[in-house]
C-alpha cells in the first residue's frame, strides 16, 4: 500500500512572499531558523534581519522571544495536525496505520530533515511548567492518542501500550536519522514498526 504524501513533521520550508503580513514573515523566518539551528542559538536581531522587518514591528506582534518560540511550536502543531487529519480522512484504521508508518519513513529521508522539532525544542526547555514545554506535551499527547485510537479500531488488544511503543520507535528514528544515514534508519524503522503491528494483530 502506498503511504500518504510526506507530512510536515518539520516546519514548512515554503517561501513566504516578501509582501506577506509582517507577523507571518516573522513567524515563518523564526520557524525556519529555530528548526535548522536551534532555538537558543538564534537571536532576535537575526530574525528581524532575515524577515526584513524592524524590532518594533516584531515586538508589536510578539511580546518577546518566549512568545515567539511558543507561537512556533503551536504553529507547527497546527500544521501537522491539519495535514495528518486530512491525509487520513476516509482511510480504515489498518490502512491509516500503515500509511503513517510509511510517511514517517519518507520524512526521515526528506531534504533538510533535522529531527523532530518538538524533541529538539524539549531539549532546550526542560522545565515541565514552561508554556513551551506544555505545548510540546500537548502535541505529543495528540499524536499518541491518535495512534492509540487507530490501534483500538484495528482490534489491537493493548492499544495504549502499542501506541507508546510506536512513539518510542518514532522518537528514536527521528533522532538517529538526523545523525546518521537516513536510508539505513528508515529500513530498520520499517522492520520494527511492522513487527509491532504484526504482534498487535493489525497486519
Amino acid at each position: 500500500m502506498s503511504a500518504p504524501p510526506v507530512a510536515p513533521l518539520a516546519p514548512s520550508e515554503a517561501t513566504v512572499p516578501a509582501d506577506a503580513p509582517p507577523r507571518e514573515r516573522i513567524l515563518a523566518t523564526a520557524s525556519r531558523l529555530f528548526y535548522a539551528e536551534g532555538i537558543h542559538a538564534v537571536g532576535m536581531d537575526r530574525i528581524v534581519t532575515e524577515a526584513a522587518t524592524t524590532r518594533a514591528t516584531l515586538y508589536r506582534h510578539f511580546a518577546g522571544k518566549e512568545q515567539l518560540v511558543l507561537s512556533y511550536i503551536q504553529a507547527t502543531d497546527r500544521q501537522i495536525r491539519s495535514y495528518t487529519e486530512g491525509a487520513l480522512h476516509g482511510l480504515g484504521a489498518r490502512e491509516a496505520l500503515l500509511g503513517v508508518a510509511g510517511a514517517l519513513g519518507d520524512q526521515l529521508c526528506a531534504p533538510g530533515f533535522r529531527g523532530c522539532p518538538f524533541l529538539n525544542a524539549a531539549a532546550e526547555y526542560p522545565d515541565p511548567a514552561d508554556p513551551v514545554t506544555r505545548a510540546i506535551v500537548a502535541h505529543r499527547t495528540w499524536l499518541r492518542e491518535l495512534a492509540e485510537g487507530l490501534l483500538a479500531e484495528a482490534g489491537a488488544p493493548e492499544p495504549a501500550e502499542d501506541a507508546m511503543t510506536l512513539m518510542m520507535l518514532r522518537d528514536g528514528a527521528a533522532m538517529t536519522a538526523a545523525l546518521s544515514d537516513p536510508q539505513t534508519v528508515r529500513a530498520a524503522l520499517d522492520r520494527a514498526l511492522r513487527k509491532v503491528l504484526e504482534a498487535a494483530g493489525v497486519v
Side-chain angles (χ1 to χ4, degrees):
M1 187 203 75
S2 61
V6 178
L9 176 64
S12 173
E13 300 217 353
T15 302
V16 176
D19 60 351
R23 188 183 190 283
E24 183 179 334
R25 293 203 316 274
I26 293 166
L27 184 56
T29 300
S31 297
R32 174 175 54 82
L33 293 173
F34 289 159
Y35 181 67
E37 301 181 21
I39 293 170
H40 294 328
V42 177
M44 296 294 264
D45 287 340
R46 172 92 178 276
I47 295 170
V48 166
T49 298
E50 296 207 17
T53 188
T54 65
R55 288 183 69 88
T57 299
L58 187 153
Y59 285 110
R60 186 164 65 248
H61 293 282
F62 302 96
K65 186 173 181 180
E66 293 306 295
Q67 186 182 38
L68 181 56
V69 173
L70 180 59
S71 296
Y72 153 62
I73 293 297
Q74 292 173 332
T76 306
D77 170 56
R78 287 193 300 272
Q79 181 186 27
I80 292 173
R81 290 193 195 214
S82 176
Y83 176 90
T84 302
E85 290 166 359
L88 299 185
H89 180 70
L91 298 182
R94 288 178 174 80
E95 186 181 12
L97 284 165
L98 290 172
V100 169
L104 176 57
D106 290 343
Q107 292 165 358
L108 303 181
C109 301
F113 181 73
R114 297 290 182 272
C116 169
F118 300 95
L119 292 179
N120 294 350
E124 299 193 58
Y125 285 83
D127 182 0
D130 192 291
V132 172
T133 306
R134 292 202 299 268
I136 294 167
V137 171
H139 173 80
R140 291 177 56 78
T141 299
W142 163 79
L143 185 58
R144 178 179 50 77
E145 289 179 347
L146 173 66
E148 183 178 341
L150 291 172
L151 285 160
E153 185 181 342
E158 298 181 326
E161 291 81 355
D162 291 334
M164 183 60 70
T165 300
L166 294 179
M167 287 291 291
M168 293 170 64
L169 288 173
R170 175 243 186 225
D171 292 348
M175 297 301 291
T176 307
L179 299 170
S180 59
D181 175 46
Q183 292 288 353
T184 301
V185 176
R186 177 181 186 171
L189 176 64
D190 286 345
R191 290 193 299 272
L193 288 174
R194 183 161 288 275
K195 287 180 180 179
V196 172
L197 296 177
E198 286 175 350
V202 173
V203 296

